[in-house]
Amino acid sequence: MDTQMLINEAVEALTSQIDDTAIIACSGGIDSTVAAVLANRAVGAMLHCVYVDTGFMRKGETEEVTEMLSDLGLNIKVVDASDRFFKHLDGVTDPEDKRKVIGEQFIRVFEEEQTIIGAKYLVQGTIAPDWIESGGGNRDTIKSHHNVGGLPEDIDLVVVEPLREFYKDEVRAMARILEIPSSERQPFPGPGLAVRVLGDLTRDRVATCREACHIVEENLLAAAADGKCDIPWQYFAALLPVRSVGVHGDTRVHGETIVVRAVHSLDGMSAHYSPIPHDILADISTKITNALKGSVNRVVYDITHKPPGTIEWE
Ligand code: XMP
């Protein structure tokens, strides 16, 4: 069936499924955005979109995403919950514990919004690999998905999943027809920069990682636009709690370490590190240490494939 027909059918199904106020958590990711646009076409103002700012977004991301969502005609509310996330993550350094706390707090914030709005329906951007890989029925669990949007089963809402039978390439095709600009964005994990800041999650350390990620993104995009390298499938910086001695002018600095990661992959299940030319890496390194004088004095490049590494560091 062609993509326009899939869209028409999905909108028709949503129109008959939803007859009261509905809510959707939107992060700007392709799946939730496509689900929101379809539901909005079906029920218009009955759909309320909620964007939760956890404090772990990339530079400018909250502004860009919420502008994009309102340009798509969605009724979007931004909830700044960063104080709450930082408070509950104080002293939490284990990666799985971080994901657990973030998931729990996300649910609390979302439940509060649901009560305020009085929603009866929950629209979710679940796609086929999400439930196939997470197990259920007689399937084995391949990998449990830790999406910030993952909500508990006992939530008092009727769950509607318009993309449940579709795969990523089909959702991308829908996004193009629906003119959703995020359709070619690189993947970004639900817990955001929280899993790229190893060790303590302080506002300062997250800000350091945010700036380094921005420098990596900006420089690789510019290098690709100049034809100097291919654009990797995913590319970012992570902050390591490893201090080393460095020097700025005449001053000794005891700063932390940024690792730059760039990989080629088809689906994230396996990956090859990207052979970024050394002059581009050197430029990124200089820009990071200049911008983050005092907090970062060493930049390293990760040349590990997946497996045995993973793409993220946590
Ligand atoms: P790993 O690090 O497991 O990542 O090789 C594979 C892909 O999944 C993304 N990722 C996540 N996405 N919630 C998400 O929504 C998560 O907790 C999470 N952890 C990793 C990662 O960025 C990569 O694209």
Side-chain angles (χ1 to χ4, degrees), residues 64-104:
E64 278 166 30
V65 169
T66 52
E67 195 182 313
M68 183 262 293
L69 295 172
S70 35
D71 286 350
L72 288 167
L74 300 172
N75 166 18
I76 178 91
K77 176 176 177 186
V78 180
V79 181
D80 179 358
S82 57
D83 282 347
R84 172 184 195 134
F85 281 90
F86 277 107
K87 189 174 132 228
H88 283 88
L89 286 160
D90 188 22
V92 180
T93 54
D94 178 83
E96 283 307 303
D97 290 348
K98 280 182 187 172
R99 282 188 164 82
K100 208 167 141 230
V101 172
I102 293 169
E104 278 166 9

Side-chain angles (χ1 to χ4, degrees), residues 182-308:
S182 67
S183 54
E184 306 303 335
R185 282 183 358 151
Q186 64 158 321
F188 187 59
L193 298 179
V195 292
R196 294 183 179 171
V197 174
L198 281 74
D200 286 326
L201 285 167
T202 62
R203 281 193 184 265
D204 280 353
R205 296 190 73 236
V206 173
T208 297
C209 181
R210 178 177 294 120
E211 188 57 33
C213 267
H214 175 67
I215 292 170
V216 170
E217 287 195 24
E218 198 175 52
N219 282 271
L220 287 182
L221 284 172
D226 287 349
K228 292 182 187 157
C229 67
D230 290 332
I231 192 72
W233 189 77
Q234 196 167 0
Y235 43 105
F236 57 90
L239 178 65
L240 310 184
V242 176
R243 284 188 183 277
S244 64
V245 174
V247 60
H248 274 309
D250 292 336
T251 319
R252 175 190 179 278
V253 190
H254 200 209
E256 291 192 304
T257 307
I258 282 288
V259 57
V260 176
R261 182 80 164 136
V263 296
H264 284 297
S265 177
L266 277 178
D267 52 11
M269 301 298 277
S270 63
H272 271 72
Y273 88 83
S274 299
I276 305 290
H278 278 201
D279 56 331
I280 299 170
L281 289 173
D283 197 27
I284 288 175
S285 166
T286 305
K287 284 182 175 148
I288 289 176
T289 48
N290 280 346
L292 298 166
K293 270 190 191 110
S295 29
V296 172
N297 58 355
R298 215 160 286 257
V299 178
V300 297
Y301 188 55
D302 184 352
I303 55 168
T304 322
H305 300 313
K306 173 184 178 176

Side-chain angles (χ1 to χ4, degrees), residues 27 31 99-100 102-104 106-107 124-127 129-131 134 143-152 168 188-192:
S27 59
D31 303 340
R99 282 188 164 82
K100 208 167 141 230
I102 293 169
E104 278 166 9
F106 188 90
I107 289 162
Q124 282 198 292
T126 319
I127 63 171
D130 295 343
W131 57 270
S134 298
K143 171 182 161 193
S144 62
H145 275 245
H146 299 274
N147 281 319
V148 158
L151 294 166
K168 203 76 179 184
F188 187 59

